[in-house]
Amino acid sequence: MILALPYARQHLLGARPVSLRKYYLRRLTRLEPPYLASLLLILVLTLIYSHLHLPTGYFVHLLATAFY
């Protein structure tokens, strides 16, 4: 519902058009930093827990997850 409100306001009340570019930029700048920080934290905890021996292919999966 929260995502639909600007579109409903635009359609029903004649408000200014919704900018998808601004929406995705705001979403990227708000959600990506904590997401990448949590990935980094998981990496550090995995290194500590596994005594610096990471599973095979760990970094490939980490990079794929970072650039989902």
Side-chain angles (χ1 to χ4, degrees):
M1 179 170 162
I2 291 172
L3 293 176
L5 284 177
Y7 294 102
R9 191 176 304 123
Q10 172 188 344
H11 180 71
L12 298 172
L13 302 176
R16 66 174 195 222
V18 177
S19 170
L20 287 178
R21 179 185 175 118
K22 287 172 65 176
Y23 167 77
Y24 282 115
L25 183 62
R26 186 175 64 241
R27 183 176 171 88
L28 180 74
T29 57
R30 189 184 68 212
L31 296 177
E32 282 300 311
Y35 177 71
L36 294 175
S38 68
L39 284 179
L40 196 60
L41 178 65
I42 290 170
L43 171 65
V44 169
L45 292 175
T46 303
L47 284 170
I48 291 170
Y49 179 73
S50 65
H51 305 291
L52 302 177
H53 298 290
L54 292 176
T56 304
Y58 188 86
F59 284 110
V60 173
H61 292 291
L62 183 68
L63 283 174
T65 303
F67 291 103
Y68 66 95

